[in-house]
């Protein structure tokens, strides 16, 4: 077959996504597939069984990253594509998994058409991209790219005190291969946009210039618990009221700092969480994002000072942890322009944009030329059970991925 006539099998891609959506399916139509959970294991096992059925070389590294390699000239660095199988607690049926299934569909299409590529082509599933159960996110690609220390990552615990490294062992995905980068000719990540831009623009393919800087921190407040009835309002050290004031400061931060910043408190625990006890311990998280790294750092410094003033005024002790930060990551111009051109050649409308969502591509771009391909999220929704993308758009994005990967895989 003429290479430019090659197309993916949209029905087969849909069937793969539907099969994966059953693993951890929630009553609300989403998925609950937290990193290193039994559901994550189930989806990993299914992915590996599909790879095994295609005579690919399968490697699982010590971080549980799963690679399926289709042969080419072993001397040449491969082209890699992939994303993540893990999901948010009440996540969507497309976030992450579309990029893993899209990569698998590309390999299936190349194999069934007996296309011999110069370079090997690798599909990858990165461990714990979401960072919801185990913070920080993107640890599989972070360790692989040399940016995160594997022992520090293994010691990260979930809310129940379970360690990441032990959970990886428990589900049988702590592989023997070193989780260390190798030369990669090009990395493409296919993903739902998770925002409203493509739908507003009426475009099918989004091509981000790169990914925002992301800063994660944890705030721990200690006050004084007491009986709510007899204790006067004056002089209370109410940890939850301190947190409430701080949370509103986070919400106001972007209008204060300007630019394209977003800032969110997504997680909070309140103890003892009893209606007739003044709260004495609160933990909450802060997520700050912008294209401008310095603005993000200044925003955190600003916030940290405000938090200390509030805690002192309310007589609470405060402990601040800067948990994780990744700088903004511009993608490879040649690859980005190649994806835009491929979308044009395939007849798909396309839009040059930026990604406010984090992806493993942030770390991959530190080790290899990298680009991403987005397709629209209906209603701009993601990280929710109603996350949705049309099958036609899924197929369109996979066709762009196919030809972007193929072009790079044929380069000498
Ligand atoms: O946080 C993010 O943007 C990604 O979903 N981990
Ligand atoms: Mn994702
Ligand atoms: Mn996500």
């Amino acid at each position: 077959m003429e290479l430019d006539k090659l197309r993916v099998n949209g029905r087969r891609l849909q069937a793969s996504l539907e099969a994966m959506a059953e693993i951890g399916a929630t009553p609300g139509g989403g998925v609950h597939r937290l990193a290193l959970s039994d559901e994550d294991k189930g989806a990993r096992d299914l992915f590996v069984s599909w790879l095994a059925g295609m005579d690919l070389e399968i490697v699982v590294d010590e971080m549980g990253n799963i690679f399926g390699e289709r042969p080419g000239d072993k001397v040449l660095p491969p082209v890699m594509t992939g994303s993540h199988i893990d999901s948010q607690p009440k996540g969507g049926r497309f976030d992450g998994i579309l990029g893993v299934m899209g990569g698998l569909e590309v390999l299936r299409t190349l194999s069934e058409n007996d296309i011999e590529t110069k370079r090997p082509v690798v599909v990858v599933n990165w461990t714990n991209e979401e960072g919801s159960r185990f913070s920080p996110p993107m640890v599989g690609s972070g360790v692989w790219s040399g940016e995160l220390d594997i022992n520090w990552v293994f010691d990260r615990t979930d809310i129940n005190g379970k360690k990441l490294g032990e959970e990886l062992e428990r589900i049988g995905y702590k592989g023997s291969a070193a989780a260390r980068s190798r030369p990669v000719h090009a990395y493409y990540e296919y993903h739902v946009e998770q925002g409203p831009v493509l739908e507003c623009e009426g475009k099918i393919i989004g091509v981000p210039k790169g990914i925002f800087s992301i800063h994660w921190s944890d705030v721990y407040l200690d006050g004084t618990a007491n009986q709510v009835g007899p204790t006067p309002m004056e002089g209370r050290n109410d940890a939850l009221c301190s947190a409430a004031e701080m949370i509103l400061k986070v919400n106001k931060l972007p209008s204060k700092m300007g630019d394209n910043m977003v800032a969110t408190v997504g997680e909070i625990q309140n103890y003892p969480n009893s209606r007739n006890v003044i709260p004495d311990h609160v933990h909450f998280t802060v997520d700050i994002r912008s294209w401008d790294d310095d603005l993000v750092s200044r925003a955190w410094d600003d916030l940290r000072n405000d938090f200390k003033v509030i805690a002192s005024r309310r007589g609470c002790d405060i402990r601040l942890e800067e948990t994780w930060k990744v700088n903004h990551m511009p993608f490879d111009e040649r690859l980005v322009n190649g994806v835009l051109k491929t979308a044009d050649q395939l007849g798909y409308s396309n839009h040059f944009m930026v990604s406010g969502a984090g992806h493993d591509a942030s770390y991959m771009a530190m080790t290899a030329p990298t680009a991403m391909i987005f397709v629209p999220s209906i209603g701009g929704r993601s990280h929710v059970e109603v996350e949705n993308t049309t099958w036609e758009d899924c197929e369109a994005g996979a066709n762009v991925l196919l030809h972007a990967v193929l072009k790079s895989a044929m380069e000498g």
Side-chain angles (χ1 to χ4, degrees):
M1 164 177 294
E2 283 170 68
L3 290 187
D4 58 0
K5 297 273 181 291
L6 213 53
R7 297 292 182 270
V8 298
N9 180 327
R11 292 279 155 273
R12 183 172 55 197
L13 174 59
Q14 177 180 338
S16 310
L17 287 163
E18 285 173 336
M20 281 290 181
E22 284 173 26
I23 305 175
T26 61
V31 289
H32 175 83
R33 205 163 49 218
L34 295 180
L36 310 184
S37 63
D38 292 342
E39 294 80 11
D40 186 14
K41 172 178 170 48
R44 286 165 170 263
D45 291 347
L46 180 57
F47 176 52
V48 169
S49 72
W50 285 337
L51 295 177
M54 293 169 62
D55 273 343
L56 299 173
E57 183 193 347
I58 301 169
V59 172
V60 180
D61 72 16
E62 55 196 337
M63 266 307 303
N65 299 316
I66 303 170
F67 303 88
E69 180 159 338
R70 184 171 186 269
D73 179 346
K74 271 268 186 218
V75 173
L76 295 173
V79 172
M80 201 181 272
T81 181
S83 193
H84 61 93
I85 282 178
D86 68 306
S87 82
Q88 285 287 328
K90 293 178 85 171
R93 293 172 295 125
F94 297 87
D95 176 1
I97 194 68
L98 177 63
V100 182
M101 295 299 102
L104 180 67
E105 178 54 33
V106 165
L107 292 188
R108 283 170 165 163
T109 304
L110 293 177
S111 298
E112 73 187 355
N113 288 284
D114 297 324
I115 308 287
E116 283 199 17
T117 54
K118 279 206 181 89
R119 296 176 178 275
V121 179
V122 179
V123 61
V124 57
N125 165 57
W126 298 112
T127 292
N128 187 41
E129 188 279 342
E130 291 293 0
S132 177
R133 179 185 178 194
F134 294 104
S135 160
M138 304 163 213
V139 294
S141 54
V143 168
W144 192 84
S145 60
E147 294 297 313
L148 296 178
D149 172 79
I150 193 165
N151 295 310
W152 179 79
V153 167
F154 279 170
D155 280 347
R156 301 299 289 172
T157 56
D158 68 7
I159 198 159
N160 301 313
K162 291 207 174 138
K163 282 192 175 181
L164 187 149
E166 290 165 6
E167 283 293 280
L168 190 60
E169 201 128 34
R170 181 184 70 81
I171 66 166
Y173 276 91
K174 191 171 181 187
S176 51
R180 213 183 2 261
S181 67
R182 62 191 269 199
V184 170
H185 180 62
Y187 175 75
Y188 293 98
E189 184 157 355
Y190 174 29
H191 206 286
V192 285
E193 177 204 344
Q194 301 186 291
V197 171
L198 289 176
E199 193 172 68
C200 293
E201 296 287 337
K203 300 285 174 62
I204 299 176
I205 302 294
V207 187
K209 66 177 179 180
I211 298 177
F212 269 14
S213 169
I214 304 177
H215 181 285
W216 277 16
S217 52
D218 287 82
V219 181
Y220 300 89
L221 290 164
D222 291 329
T224 311
N226 212 332
Q227 226 275 17
V228 298
T231 311
M233 293 310 286
E234 260 328 284
R236 286 186 175 196
N237 310 133
D238 184 326
L240 190 54
C241 284
S242 297
E245 277 198 63
M246 294 173 189
I247 291 167
L248 288 178
K249 286 281 181 193
V250 174
N251 182 253
K252 290 198 173 60
L253 194 62
S255 52
K256 187 176 169 186
M257 301 306 289
D259 208 65
N260 48 20
M261 179 171 286
V262 288
T264 316
V265 173
E267 183 182 343
I268 184 167
Q269 287 89 25
N270 174 56
Y271 302 96
N273 215 33
S274 167
R275 67 180 66 208
N276 43 7
V277 179
I278 299 168
D280 60 345
H281 298 294
V282 170
H283 161 248
F284 67 86
T285 62
V286 182
D287 177 310
I288 305 171
R289 303 188 187 201
S290 168
W291 184 255
D292 182 333
D293 300 332
D294 295 339
L295 192 71
V296 168
S297 301
R298 276 187 283 119
W300 170 244
D301 290 342
D302 201 279
L303 209 50
R304 187 171 36 191
N305 295 334
D306 284 348
F307 285 3
K308 285 177 182 164
V309 167
I310 294 166
S312 148
R313 178 162 38 81
R314 285 186 171 272
C316 289
D317 291 332
I318 184 167
R319 181 166 63 84
L320 299 165
E321 212 177 270
E322 282 196 82
T323 312
W324 173 73
K325 179 176 185 196
V326 66
N327 280 340
H328 86 284
M329 187 47 67
F331 291 149
D332 179 274
E333 251 182 76
R334 187 178 75 89
L335 258 55
V336 167
N337 291 331
V339 174
L340 287 164
K341 196 166 153 227
T342 301
D344 280 337
Q345 286 165 342
L346 293 172
Y348 297 129
S349 58
N350 50 84
H351 185 66
F352 182 60
M353 56 194 293
V354 68
S355 177
H359 301 286
D360 293 300
S362 264
Y363 282 127
M364 278 309 287
M366 296 177 193
T367 67
T370 293
M372 289 193 76
I373 298 159
F374 283 169
V375 284
S377 294
I378 295 170
R381 303 291 306 279
S382 181
H383 281 190
V384 290
E385 293 172 294
V386 296
E387 176 186 279
N388 198 7
T389 296
T390 67
W391 297 121
E392 294 72 26
D393 287 351
C394 288
E395 183 173 350
N399 277 323
V400 173
L401 179 68
L402 170 68
H403 285 278
V405 165
L406 195 49
K407 204 183 299 176
S408 293
M410 289 307 197
E411 288 172 343

